[in-house]
Amino acid sequence: GQQLNQSPQSMFIQEGEDVSMNCTSSSIFNTWLWYKQEPGEGPVLLIALYKAGELTSNGRLTAQFGITRKDSFLNISASIPSDVGIYFCAGQTQGGSEKLVFGKGTKLTVNP
Amino acid sequence: ETGVTQSPTHLIKTRGQQVTLRCSSQSGHNTVSWYQQALGQGPQFIFQYYREEENGRGNFPPRFSGLQFPNYSSELNVNALELDDSALYLCASSLAGDTQYFGPGTRLTVL
């Protein structure tokens, strides 16, 4: 099935460091979303982006919708132990309740 | 407000058997989408139900089928189970045109 290209696959960082991950696609998406999944849980929406070039923040998280509409990145500043989890990007051609196309995820480990 | 719930939490089946997974949507949501998440992968869209009708389907064979009930809860049925069907099955509910909220998933193991 269709998946987005997400990198890096995994990251091991020290508490307090900043983190950056990105997602690319061969297709255009009109909505980009970033989710976090913890063990035994479903994905939880962190940030949604609806417009090319848009930069949106949610606390220590910042995400951008690429100008070509084929990429997006997520930054986490001053990481803390509870940031541990798997981060997924997802795209939609229209948005809302339309099907989500996911990346393979970035597994983040934060050493205290 | 009750979130999305799924049952059972875990399930073990053998090849060739049939399985039914259940999802209760968040209060007020009329759309349910099902996703399959294999180990180490992102979720893959199976299908979506809106007002009891299938409203879009991903690249899954016909042995994956579903239902949505008048209260908007939903079932995912898989016939003739194969080893590759082992995965976390996620449902997500939404109000049509709005953000999808995921349940915790059902972990299916096929032996």
Side-chain angles (χ1 to χ4, degrees):
Chain A
Q2 185 183 10
Q3 279 200 327
L4 304 176
N5 300 310
Q6 189 171 347
S7 63
Q9 273 190 320
S10 60
M11 302 184 76
F12 297 83
I13 63 169
Q14 293 298 124
E15 183 176 358
E17 288 183 355
D18 296 344
V19 170
S20 185
M21 58 191 79
N22 70 356
C23 203
T24 60
S25 170
S26 56
S27 307
I28 286 174
F29 287 103
N30 291 309
T31 300
W32 283 91
L33 307 104
W34 286 91
Y35 286 85
K36 179 185 178 186
Q37 187 174 27
E38 298 184 39
E41 303 288 333
V44 174
L45 181 63
L46 299 173
I47 292 181
L49 303 154
Y50 302 105
K51 191 175 174 182
E54 179 182 354
L55 187 70
T56 297
S57 293
N58 177 9
R60 294 178 296 104
L61 277 61
T62 302
Q64 183 157 30
F65 189 144
I67 203 77
T68 65
R69 292 189 284 161
K70 292 184 177 181
D71 63 328
S72 177
F73 72 74
L74 175 71
N75 286 340
I76 305 173
S77 63
S79 58
I80 58 178
S82 62
D83 289 334
V84 164
I86 303 177
Y87 291 79
F88 290 97
C89 61
Q92 291 176 308
T93 53
Q94 293 179 4
S97 53
E98 188 208 13
K99 72 170 186 179
L100 294 157
V101 178
F102 283 87
K104 289 189 176 183
T106 295
K107 185 175 181 180
L108 179 64
T109 303
V110 180
N111 296 315
Chain B
E1 185 176 279
T2 307
V4 180
T5 59
Q6 292 186 243
S7 63
T9 307
H10 296 89
L11 202 52
I12 299 174
K13 292 284 189 178
T14 56
R15 281 176 56 188
Q17 284 189 314
Q18 178 265 342
V19 69
T20 298
L21 310 181
R22 294 178 176 84
C23 173
S24 290
S25 56
Q26 189 165 318
S27 177
H29 287 182
N30 55 14
T31 303
V32 173
S33 302
W34 285 91
Y35 294 82
Q36 180 195 64
Q37 186 177 19
L39 202 61
Q41 303 291 318
Q44 293 275 330
F45 175 73
I46 303 174
F47 44 55
Q48 182 182 88
Y49 278 83
Y50 169 63
R51 291 188 175 180
E52 303 177 58
E53 297 286 330
E54 187 177 289
N55 182 41
R57 188 179 182 92
N59 189 26
F60 281 82
R63 58 190 186 83
F64 285 77
S65 63
L67 280 174
Q68 188 179 31
F69 299 99
N71 66 354
Y72 303 128
S73 65
S74 178
E75 285 182 356
L76 164 65
N77 299 292
V78 187
N79 293 322
L81 283 167
E82 301 177 359
L83 297 179
D84 284 350
D85 295 333
S86 295
L88 181 68
Y89 287 85
L90 296 161
C91 81
S93 78
S94 60
L95 197 54
D98 207 349
T99 305
Q100 298 175 50
Y101 294 89
F102 284 85
T106 293
R107 173 72 63 188
L108 173 65
T109 302
V110 183
L111 302 175

